[in-house]
Amino acid sequence: MKNARKEYAQYTGVEVSEVDEVIRAMYGQSSDVFDPTVAGRSKSMQTTDAQVSRIKAKQWYWEKYQAAKAGKPQGQVFKSWVLVTVPVDEYEHVQAWKRERQLKAEQSKKNRELEAAAELERQLRLHQERIAESNSLAAGGEAINALVMVKAEWDRLDASIHQFKTAGDHLKAKIPILEDAQRETLSQSIRVRNAIIIDSGRFCTINALTTAREYVVPAWAWTKSGTKTLPLGNVPLLLSSPAGEIIARALTDRSGRAEFRVSKLEPGRYRIGLDATAGSLSALDAGMASALKSIENHIVVSYAVDEFEGAIHNALSQLFAGPSQSPLFAYRVTLGPVTYGTTRQGSELSLVVQRQLRQELTKLDGLTVMEPRPRDVNVMAQAVTRGIAIQKTASASKEPAPAIGSSAIQAIIDGAEAALETSYSVMGNVLVFDMTLREAGTDKVLAAAVVNVPRTSIPHGIEIFPAAAAVSPAPFAPPPPSAPSGPKIRLQITSHLGDGQTYREGDSISYFVSTDLDAYLLLIYADAANNLIQILPNRYSGEGFFPAGKYLQIPGPSDRFEFTITAPFGLERVWAFASSRPFPRLKGAELENGLVLLQSDLNSILKTLRQVAREPGTAYGETQATVTTVARNI
């Protein structure tokens, strides 16, 4: 009967192991099927036996054989056959069950496939959202945040792949698609990483100086987005020595700029790179952090052959520091005054510094040092008018335009975009130079730099300090306030190259004067030997009444005198006084050129002239221009 069951299963088209399930599904369970007297038999087995009993033995047949081996009898062997019968409707019942079961299996499989497809779609949708957000961050100049997001997406996909592997065949089949998405994530990280640029700037060489207290090493972080180059802010950078030791760390600002401040630099090649251990970059794994090491740039430090020249080079490198591909602050620069401290007075050193500045500036690619152009009253008026227009355009404030003696106005006259002013002070054996680049017209500070120079590096025989009188000028009483009913006159005077300039023996100087009110003018020239010469009014000028808003050049084209620098050298001043009333006549001897050599000292003259301001209703103003003169051999 065991074989009969197999034949029964084969006839109905099911596996033998399924016979029990088929019968239970077809006929259910009835109490008359079970044998309650049989203990220890499972319900399943009883049901199977009961249903198999539907297979009826119809005929039996067997044969008996004598078994032998090697001619020796081995016993009897029986071979039997049984003919069984199965109800006719049995086949149809089984086939119906099979169809139902197949439908359920197919539906279950379909449901699992749909669930797997939905989960995969969710995973891919989330992946595309993350990639799109990463692209948006990178396009907006947030490449570091884009990398962090890519890393998070890689980890998320990795966790999803592991989940799919343990969730059954329906999800396992989707793993290759997730692996493709993970490879896309890797490609995205490479694209973002390759777009990051570390820029050491347009100056890649620094001179090591014995007196340098601190070196400022600038660097920039950028990212490419299409045709644009965007700054990367809040990016940690590090500076490594030639030996690979990290010597400084810095964080970029919103413009992408970072500054390393180092107290000492030795000759060699220094590396600037990303600091993968700091900030958001610390969230990246070891592989991504290692890949970031390829993003780098370098600077070279070398000993200066001449400390003075090396210091000037370093100062200009700081002043014009900027990304290698960005434009300069200005391409046309004029040299403003080089003065000692806050005195606005020059020295022999001033001309030496100007000469070295000119030499170093001409080495800058694309930069032109503008030579002084001829000045006259028309040129001065046009420059001031343009300066006022630039000031109004650049700022909504009501601040007055720069003075006519300022570097901002002088830069306009010379066709420059900016003027370079320098002041220096002495601290023991070190000279500290402060350099400021000022915008033409507005006097706005575009850049500033400080550099230390050893005093021993200054060329031998060059006087560092201004003349003694310039260092400690005799104190003058402050000008008295205007009378209550009289306004204050805004009076301006400057040398033709501006305030604080240093002139060499043989140079010719002219001065320009202007007032904002019609006024009588009186000008006194004080040379380095403290000789006082009244240059206006003079024999040819009349009373010296001058209209407001105009510019007076002294000496003018028609004047019969000129200012040519001769010994003695040192500090020279021109005092200017303006009043709505005529000034009293000052005592003195008239010279051949029509000027007057005054007899009184400056304090007495000041006292006399300031008496005019005390008269009721009198408008009054005074000012002075200072220049320094030196010998020709400087």
Side-chain angles (χ1 to χ4, degrees), residues 338-340 343-348 350-351 465-467 470 500-505 507 509 511 565 569-573 626-630:
V338 178
T339 55
Y340 175 75
T343 64
R344 298 294 289 176
Q345 297 160 15
S347 65
E348 293 180 352
S350 298
L351 290 182
F465 296 101
Q501 287 285 3
T502 299
Y503 294 89
R504 185 184 285 113
E505 180 182 8
D507 290 344
I509 305 179
Y511 292 89
I565 303 303
F569 307 112
L571 175 68
E572 300 188 1
R573 285 191 178 97
T626 302
V627 298
T628 302
T629 60
V630 298

Side-chain angles (χ1 to χ4, degrees), residues 205-210 212-217 239-242 247-248 260-270 299-303 314:
T205 303
I206 296 176
N207 290 313
L209 305 174
T210 58
R213 298 181 179 180
E214 183 180 61
Y215 296 92
V216 178
V217 181
L239 178 66
S240 301
S241 70
I247 60 173
F260 299 103
R261 296 187 175 272
V262 188
S263 59
K264 185 177 182 180
L265 288 175
E266 298 291 343
R269 192 166 183 258
Y270 290 72
I299 61 167
V300 175
V301 177
S302 59
Y303 280 128
N314 285 357

Side-chain angles (χ1 to χ4, degrees), residues 128-460:
Q128 293 304 321
E129 290 174 356
R130 296 288 176 84
I131 293 296
E133 189 172 353
S134 171
N135 284 329
S136 177
L137 288 171
E142 298 184 52
I144 302 304
N145 289 336
L147 279 178
V148 173
M149 174 159 287
V150 168
K151 169 60 170 58
E153 175 60 7
W154 173 277
D155 291 342
R156 188 191 68 80
L157 287 173
D158 204 48
S160 297
I161 289 172
H162 178 74
Q163 181 182 3
F164 275 39
K165 286 180 179 179
T166 59
D169 294 340
H170 59 292
L171 285 177
K172 283 184 181 179
K174 309 297 183 183
I175 289 177
I177 300 176
L178 289 183
E179 290 175 339
D180 287 342
Q182 200 171 38
R183 281 189 287 271
E184 182 187 9
T185 303
L186 179 60
S187 298
Q188 174 72 359
S189 71
I190 294 173
R191 285 193 297 271
V192 174
R193 187 185 70 224
N194 289 345
I196 298 175
I197 302 170
I198 300 298
D199 186 359
S200 57
R202 60 175 64 96
F203 299 102
C204 299
T205 303
I206 296 176
N207 290 313
L209 305 174
T210 58
T211 56
R213 298 181 179 180
E214 183 180 61
Y215 296 92
V216 178
V217 181
W220 290 261
W222 304 97
T223 182
K224 291 181 179 178
S225 178
T227 59
K228 297 180 180 179
T229 301
L230 303 174
L232 287 178
N234 203 35
V235 175
L237 301 180
L238 52 82
L239 178 66
S240 301
S241 70
E245 178 187 0
I246 298 174
I247 60 173
R249 286 182 166 88
L251 199 65
T252 61
D253 58 19
R254 295 177 61 184
S255 68
R257 177 187 170 106
E259 285 188 353
F260 299 103
R261 296 187 175 272
V262 188
S263 59
K264 185 177 182 180
L265 288 175
E266 298 291 343
R269 192 166 183 258
Y270 290 72
R271 176 183 178 273
I272 301 172
L274 294 172
D275 186 357
T277 65
S280 300
L281 292 178
S282 61
L284 304 181
D285 59 24
M288 295 183 74
S290 178
L292 292 178
K293 292 181 180 179
S294 63
I295 305 173
E296 61 180 9
N297 215 313
H298 300 85
I299 61 167
V300 175
V301 177
S302 59
Y303 280 128
V305 177
D306 181 279
E307 286 267 332
F308 177 68
E309 294 180 5
I312 296 298
H313 169 84
N314 285 357
L316 292 180
S317 296
Q318 291 182 40
L319 199 65
F320 288 92
S324 56
Q325 301 301 320
S326 68
L328 293 169
F329 293 116
Y331 288 93
R332 300 187 305 277
V333 175
T334 188
L335 290 176
V338 178
T339 55
Y340 175 75
T342 59
T343 64
R344 298 294 289 176
Q345 297 160 15
S347 65
E348 293 180 352
L349 178 61
S350 298
L351 290 182
V352 174
V353 172
Q354 278 191 334
R355 184 166 57 241
Q356 189 61 41
L357 286 173
R358 185 184 303 275
Q359 180 178 327
E360 290 294 329
L361 285 170
T362 55
K363 297 177 183 178
L364 298 183
D365 187 29
L367 189 142
T368 302
V369 179
M370 305 301 292
E371 297 297 332
R373 294 177 177 177
R375 270 84 161 149
D376 59 27
V377 292
N378 293 326
V379 169
M380 187 65 69
Q382 291 171 5
V384 172
T385 300
R386 186 181 171 199
I388 294 173
I390 293 174
Q391 180 80 357
K392 289 181 178 179
T393 302
S395 174
S397 67
K398 297 182 179 180
E399 295 181 4
I404 60 175
S406 68
S407 296
I409 296 299
Q410 299 302 314
I412 291 179
I413 295 173
D414 293 330
E417 297 168 321
L420 176 57
E421 289 188 351
T422 304
S423 66
Y424 67 93
S425 56
V426 180
M427 300 180 64
N429 292 324
V430 176
L431 274 69
V432 181
F433 286 87
D434 289 273
M435 298 184 184
T436 306
L437 193 66
R438 295 184 176 275
E439 186 177 42
T442 66
D443 210 32
K444 173 186 175 183
V445 175
L446 299 177
V450 179
V451 67
N452 296 336
V453 178
R455 193 166 178 175
T456 55
S457 69
I458 303 301
H460 180 70

Side-chain angles (χ1 to χ4, degrees), residues 102-144:
Q102 182 67 24
L103 288 174
K104 288 182 178 179
E106 291 176 354
Q107 185 62 44
S108 177
K109 181 180 179 181
K110 184 177 181 180
N111 289 341
R112 290 195 300 271
E113 288 292 339
L114 290 174
E115 291 173 359
E119 176 61 17
L120 179 63
E121 182 182 358
R122 188 185 72 83
Q123 293 283 346
L124 294 179
R125 183 173 62 253
L126 185 57
H127 171 68
Q128 293 304 321
E129 290 174 356
R130 296 288 176 84
I131 293 296
E133 189 172 353
S134 171
N135 284 329
S136 177
L137 288 171
E142 298 184 52
I144 302 304

Side-chain angles (χ1 to χ4, degrees), residues 584-601:
R585 187 179 183 88
L586 300 176
K587 295 180 180 180
E590 187 175 284
L591 304 176
E592 293 182 2
N593 56 13
L595 307 184
V596 178
L597 178 62
L598 300 176
Q599 297 175 350
S600 302
D601 61 76

